[in-house]
Amino acid sequence: MSTLFGVILPYAAIAIFILGMLYKVIKWGKSAVPFRIPTTCAQEETLPWIKRKPHEKLDNPSNNLAVVGRMLLEVLIFRSLWRNTRAEVKADSQKLIYSGSKFLWLFGLLFHWSLLVILIRHCRLFFEPVPWILDVVENIDGMLEIMIPTLYLTDIAILLAVTYLFIRRVVFSQLRYISLPADYFALLLIGGVAVTGVLLRIFFHTDVEAVKELAMSVLRFSPEVPDQSISWLFYFHLAMVCTLLAYFPFSKMMHAGGIFFSPTRNMANTNRVKRHVNPWDYPVKLHPYHEYEEEFHDKMKQAGLPLEKE
Amino acid sequence: MSDEVASREELLKTIDYVPAKQDLYKPNLEFRPGTWNYPANPKKAELVDLPYPREWNPTDLDWKLPENWKEIILKGMEERLDRYRSLRVYLDICVRCGACADKCHFYLGSGDPKNMPVARTELMRSIYRRYFTVGGKLLGGAAGGRELTEDVLKEWFYYYYQCTECRRCSVFCPYGIDTCEITMMGRELLNLVGIGINWIVEPLSNCFRTGNHLGIQPHAFADTVEFAMDDVEEITGVKVNVPMNKKGAEILFVTPSADYFAQPHWYTFLGYMMLFHELDLDYTMSSYASEGGNFGLFHSAEMMKRLNNKIYAEAQRLGVKWILGGECGHMWRVIHQYMDTINGPADFLEVPKSPITGTVFENAKATKMTHISEFTADLIKNNKLKLDPSRNDQWKITYHDSCNPARAMGLFEEPRYIINNVANNFYEMPENTIREKTFCCGSGSGLGTDENLEMRLRGGLPRGNAVKYVKERHGVNILTCMCAIDKATLPAVVDYWVGDVEIGGIHELVGNALIMKDEQKPRTTDLRGDPLPGVEGSEEGGE
Ligand code: HEM
Ligand code: SF4
Ligand code: SF4
């Protein structure tokens, strides 16, 4: 049993994850970018006296450096989601009203940043000795020692965030309408990983040293399953992580990679400055001037328009 | 109009953002009159060699699809997944967070949940999952897959022609998912099996043959430009001349055909002519490239290329140095985003340089085409124009950013700079409705037909609502814009939602304010022929 859950499953999951990612990324990479189509969210660079504010230079990037900046803003602080508003129609006063709506942005950020920090914290299971940077992250995250053992800030944050993200899908009718089984599944899976993780820390302690031995042995490609000291709850936690890994490349979670491939965000608005070549361009049927003049020759002549052939 | 569409109060009551239908994947086949466009005329389709031209009707059960339609669509999808990274990535990565949902004017105006951009994309994404992903092939519906049926195709037709390709959703999506890209693909696929709408196919077919969407032949083009010259003379006393198909001119001027054929575009056209005359600009218009707009964009990349080709070809034939473009929205999407790629490189042209100020437009270094608002803003900045802003005092002005120059270009400051220099009363609409967050007119991308009026008005609600706000607050009486489709379709939208607000162009205001050297006597009317404030016969302003 523990060999299945502790060794075979992780290897399979990691293999599927890596191959799946490669498959997707290669598919995307091979798909052409025929046109340059950045979404321009601010004034473009035109006449030199039209000054642009720093954020405008990122929202409508005119060079690759600015594109990197734009991308970083999207990835690190969800720039576009920050714009979010909510619309309401008031039929009696005949008005359409937009109000700022930052909850998705807030909980989305909490969710992703906690996910990242938790991932970083888990790295300690794979390193001996543990790099100092991991200690730093852990200490900061553990600042708030609410209970003993430490309940990490990110643990609270991710549970809160997943709960919010799930509830909004159930409660808001627009979201209910667009939500698919896969959307609930992803949240439940990540929520499940988080909940079992927290349980392992606080209530059902497991032998972390043994887990670390297992992890490092798997990493060395000479897996050794420690004897009974690892609890079934850990294997449950691990199984969910493996499911997440294997599911990842085939799910919407691929937005993590896809965002870098998004042509409306990763291209500079140099449209009229630099030529962009369409790799699959092909000749098309045209209506050249001489055919046009042939058809309308007499009429053009009467109207006094200059002609190629009198 | 009002006998076809319910009153504004009634219409507003039908909008409910709580979705009534709870099934995203059940095709909606309710083709309510007023919410869709007539199919393409087969004769017009044949003229440009479109596949499977035929008579059919969306309300019929049988759409007379070719026998192997499913194969064609799936093959077309496969091809496009390899050709457009946008398509493949966007079909893969949406998390259905819903941030885009209430950003679409069609959703805001209709409450139809399938008009949420995420749902619009899901209509195609479900097919993608079923036929192109492992999970969907194995698990089908459980993995969000859906069989491709005729009903799905019909639903595509309905909803991909209820998207104006405005890109507002893309501004708000955390990954920049641009539903416009999906809509473009959806339309290309539908066109493969002969499903298209006439208000796109007819103009593009006309344009291919005669050089412009309206099908105006060269002699008629010359006539209408002559009328415009007469109008300018009547108002200003100055006789202007518009060179046509003139070889060796320095600049080729291209503008949407509506500018010289429709109201209120006409006044903007007069403005251009006055400006060029005043500058003594060495330019020419062309009857062959007499269309800046490009309805091919709303049809397919191929059609866009076929139409757009004329501009560079004509610039080369006439031997001009660079190209100047008039006020238009989707025209500038094509020029800015596509022209150099599809029909360049324009090596035979020079980097645009204003002959008046000497400014080199470095931002058009490759494409060699400059927007008239860039050109004019540069003139004003360099004090090359004599302007009397009080000649626009009859107007309290607001400005509508058209989707394409806004979100596919970033042209925000130039028009505002011009307005502030040629007029005294300028008021912005609320922040959530301008610049990159601007709302579509509701009729863009070929949807501006009479038969589609209800949907257009619904889509125009957010814009109408914002205009109403500045009208009530500041007494705004003109909505200016730089887009031919806006000028053609906003009057109906604004009439319906607001009332008593005119639509106008930026160069109409420029024309009003422009003091011309050759003018002998003070002007008494504006370009619309209405008496100027303070002149006898006017209602003598005052607040
Ligand atoms: C480049 C890295 C990433 C970026 C920029 C990113 C960004 C985002 C954004 C903006 C959202 C929408 C708002 C929200 O629901 O929070 C989102 C949703 C989500 N992300 Fe990420 N993400 C990244 C990596 C990941 C990873 C590695 C995972 C999973 C292990 C993940 C799991 C999810 C899930 C499950 C949702 C959907 C939440 C829901 O259903 O409401 N993300 N992501
Ligand atoms: S905002 Fe983007 S990720 Fe979110 S639902 Fe819309 S398209 Fe999908
Ligand atoms: S492109 Fe515009 S019309 Fe189309 S779905 Fe997005 S917001 Fe709606």
Side-chain angles (χ1 to χ4, degrees):
Chain A
M1 268 306 267
S2 37
T3 315
L4 175 64
F5 283 103
V7 180
I8 301 176
L9 205 60
Y11 274 131
I14 292 169
I16 297 175
F17 176 76
I18 293 174
L19 292 177
M21 287 286 272
L22 278 177
Y23 172 78
K24 274 284 171 189
V25 169
I26 289 172
K27 273 272 188 206
W28 289 340
K30 275 171 72 178
S31 184
V33 184
F35 307 116
R36 197 190 273 129
I37 54 164
T39 312
T40 57
C41 298
Q43 170 69 23
E44 64 179 333
E45 182 173 355
T46 50
L47 297 159
W49 50 270
I50 296 182
K51 297 285 178 243
R52 303 192 300 155
K53 299 192 188 89
H55 75 86
E56 291 178 313
K57 293 184 181 171
L58 297 183
D59 283 339
N60 190 347
S62 57
N63 55 51
N64 288 338
L65 190 68
V67 170
V68 172
R70 181 183 209 187
M71 217 61 210
L72 281 176
L73 284 192
E74 291 291 5
V75 172
L76 298 180
I77 59 165
F78 299 179
R79 163 76 182 102
S80 292
L81 210 53
W82 173 254
R83 297 191 178 98
N84 199 17
T85 55
R86 207 166 62 86
E88 267 173 290
V89 74
K90 298 248 191 280
D92 14 317
S93 58
Q94 298 197 18
K95 279 199 175 92
L96 191 56
I97 295 170
Y98 318 96
S99 37
S101 156
K102 304 271 189 256
F103 277 113
L104 178 60
W105 175 84
L106 180 69
F107 284 102
L109 267 188
L110 271 182
F111 172 73
H112 285 83
W113 274 103
S114 325
L115 209 61
L116 182 66
V117 173
I118 292 170
L119 202 73
I120 293 174
R121 279 203 278 105
H122 277 70
C123 288
R124 82 163 32 239
L125 292 174
F126 301 94
F127 290 102
E128 192 58 58
V130 175
W132 62 271
I133 184 80
L134 293 184
D135 285 330
V136 174
V137 171
E138 195 165 308
N139 284 334
I140 297 174
D141 200 5
M143 264 184 329
L144 249 184
E145 292 202 348
I146 302 176
M147 286 181 242
I148 303 216
T150 320
L151 182 57
Y152 291 107
L153 287 177
T154 47
D155 290 348
I156 305 170
I158 200 165
L159 291 176
L160 266 178
V162 168
T163 311
Y164 173 78
L165 292 175
F166 193 89
I167 286 179
R168 72 189 275 276
R169 284 201 187 277
V170 181
V171 172
F172 301 139
S173 54
Q174 290 172 356
L175 274 149
R176 207 161 54 226
Y177 182 83
I178 55 173
S179 293
L180 303 177
D183 299 327
Y184 297 109
F185 180 67
L187 284 173
L188 287 175
L189 195 58
I190 294 172
V193 172
V195 168
T196 49
V198 171
L199 287 180
L200 277 171
R201 263 202 92 74
I202 306 177
F203 300 109
F204 305 95
H205 230 42
T206 194
D207 183 346
V208 181
E209 281 312 308
V211 169
K212 181 157 181 169
E213 264 165 46
L214 172 65
M216 294 192 51
S217 72
V218 165
L219 212 62
R220 279 195 309 268
F221 289 103
S222 55
E224 289 160 36
V225 185
D227 41 21
Q228 298 311 314
S229 60
I230 299 180
S231 66
W232 64 268
L233 185 61
F234 170 76
Y235 285 118
F236 192 56
H237 181 67
L238 185 62
M240 278 203 277
V241 173
C242 291
T243 314
L244 185 63
L245 275 179
Y247 177 54
F248 192 95
F250 310 100
S251 72
K252 68 172 190 176
M253 280 176 275
M254 274 309 276
H255 64 272
I259 184 170
F260 298 99
F261 286 80
S262 171
T264 61
R265 290 292 185 271
N266 72 8
M267 302 182 92
N269 179 22
T270 50
N271 285 55
R272 273 186 290 157
V273 185
K274 276 197 201 118
R275 180 166 168 72
H276 177 90
V277 176
N278 172 2
W280 50 260
D281 196 25
Y282 55 89
V284 295
K285 190 175 164 199
L286 302 171
H287 187 56
Y289 178 81
H290 67 87
E291 280 177 24
Y292 167 87
E293 187 178 298
E294 224 160 84
E295 177 174 358
F296 297 112
H297 183 274
D298 298 348
K299 288 172 175 167
M300 288 176 80
K301 193 162 180 170
Q302 258 176 12
L305 291 168
L307 293 163
E308 292 282 338
K309 288 197 195 116
E310 276 310 312
Chain B
M1 179 207 311
S2 43
D3 47 295
E4 291 157 39
V5 180
S7 74
R8 149 169 113 200
E9 292 76 18
E10 291 300 311
L11 199 87
L12 274 171
K13 279 192 206 129
T14 64
I15 303 172
D16 185 357
Y17 298 147
V18 178
K21 289 164 274 178
Q22 285 294 333
D23 193 354
L24 174 57
Y25 287 154
K26 191 162 161 283
N28 171 21
L29 300 176
E30 191 198 346
F31 286 88
R32 211 156 25 89
T35 64
W36 49 274
N37 295 274
Y38 295 149
N41 175 344
K43 286 199 199 73
K44 293 287 177 182
E46 256 164 57
L47 278 174
V48 278
D49 323 292
L50 299 182
Y52 306 107
R54 62 183 182 277
E55 298 277 357
W56 63 282
N57 201 321
T59 50
D60 290 347
L61 211 53
D62 180 9
W63 285 22
K64 302 181 197 157
L65 292 168
E67 211 163 294
N68 58 340
W69 67 268
K70 196 167 160 177
E71 205 180 304
I72 298 175
I73 296 279
L74 290 176
K75 198 166 147 275
M77 253 181 107
E78 190 175 353
E79 217 171 79
R80 280 162 185 76
L81 284 166
D82 287 334
R83 284 188 166 181
Y84 291 89
R85 187 178 295 168
S86 53
L87 181 66
R88 191 180 277 284
V89 172
Y90 294 160
L91 288 180
D92 271 334
I93 66 171
C94 169
V95 296
R96 285 163 299 283
C97 70
C100 57
D102 56 359
K103 308 304 179 288
C104 175
H105 51 283
F106 280 122
Y107 176 63
L108 291 174
S110 70
D112 181 344
K114 288 192 178 169
N115 271 324
M116 296 186 221
V118 45
R120 198 185 311 288
T121 307
E122 228 25 76
L123 301 180
M124 184 181 293
R125 192 176 283 124
S126 52
I127 304 301
Y128 167 71
R129 287 202 195 92
R130 164 67 185 78
Y131 295 93
F132 299 96
T133 68
V134 186
K137 277 185 200 162
L138 293 178
L139 299 173
R146 179 161 77 140
E147 288 298 320
L148 178 57
T149 61
E150 275 196 47
D151 287 352
V152 168
L153 210 66
K154 290 178 180 178
E155 190 183 45
W156 280 13
F157 172 77
Y158 196 58
Y159 289 105
Y160 293 136
Y161 288 96
Q162 277 183 21
C163 164
T164 43
E165 308 186 340
C166 80
R167 309 188 98 191
R168 194 169 191 268
C169 44
S170 163
V171 169
F172 292 88
C173 172
Y175 322 120
I177 293 179
D178 187 2
T179 304
C180 162
E181 289 287 306
I182 308 296
T183 294
M184 285 174 159
M185 294 300 114
R187 291 188 185 183
E188 282 204 7
L189 292 171
L190 290 168
N191 280 312
L192 292 180
V193 291
I195 299 178
I197 68 171
N198 200 48
W199 189 238
I200 292 173
V201 170
E202 181 161 337
L204 70 83
S205 169
N206 287 340
C207 191
F208 191 67
R209 175 168 165 250
T210 66
N212 57 69
H213 291 150
L214 302 169
I216 301 162
Q217 301 191 1
H219 57 294
F221 172 66
D223 279 352
T224 163
V225 173
E226 216 145 290
F227 287 138
M229 298 192 240
D230 293 345
D231 271 9
V232 172
E233 190 173 1
E234 204 164 295
I235 294 159
T236 66
V238 178
K239 203 161 175 48
V240 300
N241 178 40
V242 178
M244 268 183 281
N245 297 7
K246 178 180 146 193
K247 283 198 172 173
E250 182 179 352
I251 299 166
L252 171 64
F253 177 61
V254 179
T255 204
S257 56
D259 278 2
Y260 52 83
F261 237 88
Q263 303 278 13
H265 313 60
W266 186 251
Y267 313 119
T268 292
F269 190 60
L270 303 185
Y272 304 145
M273 293 167 63
M274 292 161 63
L275 177 68
F276 299 160
H277 173 86
E278 180 61 15
L279 301 172
D280 204 9
L281 202 67
D282 180 16
Y283 78 107
T284 181
M285 291 189 74
S286 156
S287 64
Y288 171 67
S290 50
E291 180 63 77
N294 188 328
F295 271 41
L297 172 69
F298 311 142
H299 183 274
S300 58
E302 179 170 325
M303 218 59 224
M304 166 174 73
K305 177 171 169 161
R306 288 172 70 181
L307 299 187
N308 174 264
N309 185 272
K310 293 182 192 200
I311 297 180
Y312 277 153
E314 186 69 344
Q316 188 161 28
R317 185 183 76 87
L318 296 174
V320 301
K321 288 194 180 138
W322 58 279
I323 312 169
L324 182 63
E327 295 183 9
C328 188
H330 76 286
M331 155 181 170
W332 273 95
R333 169 88 162 262
V334 175
I335 289 160
H336 187 76
Q337 281 197 337
Y338 302 110
M339 179 155 82
D340 191 19
T341 300
I342 56 183
N343 287 310
D347 297 335
F348 49 89
L349 295 175
E350 292 172 15
V351 179
K353 177 176 169 190
S354 170
I356 318 300
T357 65
T359 300
V360 179
F361 294 93
E362 296 283 352
N363 65 322
K365 205 155 66 186
T367 305
K368 319 273 198 319
M369 186 152 174
T370 293
H371 192 289
I372 184 132
S373 73
E374 296 166 347
F375 179 74
T376 304
D378 171 64
L379 291 169
I380 296 175
K381 180 74 184 176
N382 287 289
N383 282 320
K384 298 294 179 191
L385 300 181
K386 270 191 148 163
L387 299 165
D388 176 2
S390 74
R391 291 206 298 230
N392 279 311
D393 278 352
Q394 70 276 35
W395 298 124
K396 294 208 187 305
I397 303 161
T398 191
Y399 177 69
H400 162 75
D401 291 281
S402 307
C403 320
N404 288 302
R407 288 182 284 259
M409 197 171 170
L411 185 69
F412 299 117
E413 295 304 335
E414 284 89 344
R416 288 176 168 81
Y417 180 78
I418 298 175
I419 297 173
N420 280 319
N421 277 282
V422 300
N424 291 316
N425 315 308
F426 176 51
Y427 307 95
E428 291 275 17
M429 286 179 277
E431 193 236 341
N432 276 314
T433 67
I434 55 169
R435 294 181 182 256
E436 76 278 4
K437 297 191 199 113
T438 189
F439 276 107
C440 182
C441 58
S443 310
S445 82
L447 309 187
T449 63
D450 287 344
E451 68 265 22
N452 192 34
L453 188 60
E454 181 188 325
M455 212 56 217
R456 285 171 50 200
L457 294 175
R458 286 180 179 279
L461 164 65
R463 176 46 73 227
N465 184 59
V467 174
K468 189 156 165 255
Y469 179 86
V470 282
K471 184 190 173 198
E472 283 167 4
R473 198 162 254 238
H474 306 293
V476 160
N477 59 2
I478 190 167
L479 173 63
T480 56
C481 54
M482 294 201 297
C483 170
I485 293 180
D486 281 335
K487 287 173 193 154
T489 64
L490 277 173
V493 167
V494 168
D495 261 2
Y496 183 82
W497 290 113
V498 194
D500 295 325
V501 173
E502 297 291 320
I503 311 296
I506 299 299
H507 281 77
E508 173 183 350
L509 302 181
V510 172
N512 277 338
L514 187 69
I515 300 172
M516 298 167 81
K517 292 190 283 283
D518 304 342
E519 257 176 303
Q520 304 300 336
K521 50 180 195 328
R523 260 185 240 175
T524 53
T525 70
D526 62 13
L527 297 189
R528 300 187 176 212
D530 295 331
L532 284 171
V535 170
E536 222 174 303
S538 83
E539 304 134 49
E540 191 50 46
E543 301 295 289

